Amino acid sequence: MNLRDNALTILQQTSRTFYIPISRLPSQLQEAVASAYLCMRAIDEIEDHPTLDNFTKAKLLRNISLNLQAAVESSTIDDFSLDLSLHQKNLLPEVTQRVGEWALLAPPSIAPRVWDATAAMADRMAYWAESNWEIQTESDLDKYTFSVAGAVGLLLSDLWAWHDGTKTNRLHAIGFGRGLQAVNILRNHRDDRGRGVNFFPTGWQAKDMLFYARRNLILADYYTESLPKGPALDFCRIPLALAHGTLDVLALGKEKLSRSDVMALVEKITA
């Protein structure tokens, strides 16, 4: 199995939301987006790890960032990979341990942009881990949702432009990322509280985060509606529809979309 096929297998195991749209992308763009997703999933698994202490999380994240910043044309998988202790290898999932492979999956002409975005996000995650994700105001929330998701919207805009010249509204791209992240915060709120983390600003209830998510998803709607027919539009429609659907079921008091709900939404979009 080649690296691309193996990456898609790992992607399918880690995200039912993003496997489908990434698997439908054309060659080259597929490798670029898969590389970006898996690199960022690798560092996300560190940030969200339930047993690693915050100091260790920040150290690992900064090591990944520095490895990516040191990249050169002749860099190898080992140059990007983490030097993990046996204990850490037992704790961290495969997607994180193989970050060096994901970094080299992107085509060389766009790989440095993926490395830059992942390095910057890892540094931001390290900051939030050290501050124990202290979010007191909506401004703090905006900072966090940009750090881990709004910046991904900007990266995707760059990937669309690299692939076929598609132009996008970059402010709307940030809103797209923020909206998806706010949905994740709502969906995972109980689990996050269980590990001592609260992404809700002081005094906020679920209804406030729901409003924040919907406000940003309006920007995501604008972003998607402005895209011409092509791979970018095909990609964005799926996670956007799933985000709207998740908000709808959360508002009804359910925990998440069922697998059958997800498949029905995807089939409706791709028909």
Side-chain angles (χ1 to χ4, degrees):
M1 184 181 295
N2 61 36
L3 180 56
R4 187 193 69 173
D5 291 342
N6 189 241
L8 289 174
T9 299
I10 298 298
L11 179 62
Q12 189 173 25
Q13 294 170 1
T14 56
S15 175
R16 66 179 183 176
T17 300
F18 284 100
Y19 169 74
I20 296 170
I22 292 176
S23 68
R24 293 164 54 88
L25 290 172
S27 180
Q28 295 292 292
L29 183 59
Q30 183 183 90
E31 285 88 336
V33 177
S35 171
Y37 177 83
L38 289 169
C39 282
M40 291 175 180
R41 184 59 185 254
I43 61 177
D44 187 59
E45 291 286 354
I46 297 173
E47 183 197 18
D48 291 342
H49 200 282
T51 61
L52 286 175
D53 63 85
N54 290 349
F55 174 82
T56 300
K57 289 181 178 182
K59 182 178 179 180
L60 291 173
L61 289 164
R62 288 206 169 97
N63 282 346
I64 289 177
S65 178
L66 289 171
N67 288 346
L68 290 166
Q69 291 176 55
V72 294
E73 189 175 359
S74 59
S75 290
T76 66
I77 289 172
D78 289 341
D79 293 324
F80 292 116
S81 298
L82 278 169
D83 183 17
L84 299 171
S85 67
L86 179 61
H87 175 65
Q88 290 167 341
K89 285 183 178 179
N90 291 333
L91 288 178
L92 291 170
E94 181 180 3
V95 68
T96 301
Q97 295 189 41
R98 297 179 64 186
V99 65
E101 294 176 66
W102 316 141
L104 291 178
L105 176 61
S109 60
I110 195 62
R113 178 68 183 96
V114 175
W115 303 340
D116 172 66
T118 306
M121 184 180 291
D123 276 333
R124 296 186 192 112
M125 284 181 172
Y127 163 81
W128 286 105
E130 288 173 333
S131 63
N132 198 37
W133 300 274
E134 186 174 341
I135 294 175
Q136 297 182 347
T137 66
E138 184 172 343
S139 178
D140 292 336
L141 179 61
D142 282 336
K143 294 169 189 172
Y144 178 73
T145 53
F146 176 85
S147 294
V148 300
V152 179
L154 295 177
L155 172 61
L156 287 174
S157 283
D158 289 341
L159 295 182
W160 311 144
W162 162 78
H163 176 68
D164 60 12
T166 294
K167 295 181 179 180
T168 55
N169 183 307
R170 298 176 73 82
L171 286 174
H172 294 169
I174 294 171
F176 198 147
R178 280 192 171 126
L180 295 189
Q181 186 63 29
V183 173
N184 285 339
I185 288 172
L186 273 165
R187 185 164 54 87
N188 298 324
H189 184 56
R190 183 179 300 175
D191 291 341
D192 289 333
R193 292 298 299 270
R195 63 187 180 93
V197 177
N198 182 15
F199 294 105
F200 284 26
T202 303
W204 276 34
Q205 303 298 319
K207 62 180 178 61
D208 302 300
M209 188 63 77
L210 192 69
F211 178 78
Y212 178 87
R214 290 200 187 281
R215 190 176 76 235
N216 278 286
L217 286 184
I218 290 173
L219 299 179
D221 290 334
Y222 293 157
Y223 181 84
T224 303
E225 290 165 3
S226 71
L227 292 170
K229 288 184 178 180
L233 178 61
D234 292 342
F235 177 93
C236 291
R237 290 173 64 195
I238 294 175
L240 179 58
L242 295 177
H244 279 298
T246 298
L247 283 189
D248 290 342
V249 299
L250 289 174
L252 294 174
K254 299 179 182 179
E255 290 187 0
K256 61 181 181 179
L257 287 171
S258 67
R259 183 171 293 275
S260 60
D261 290 335
V262 170
M263 296 313 298
L265 277 170
V266 171
E267 287 177 10
K268 180 180 178 181
I269 294 165
T270 58

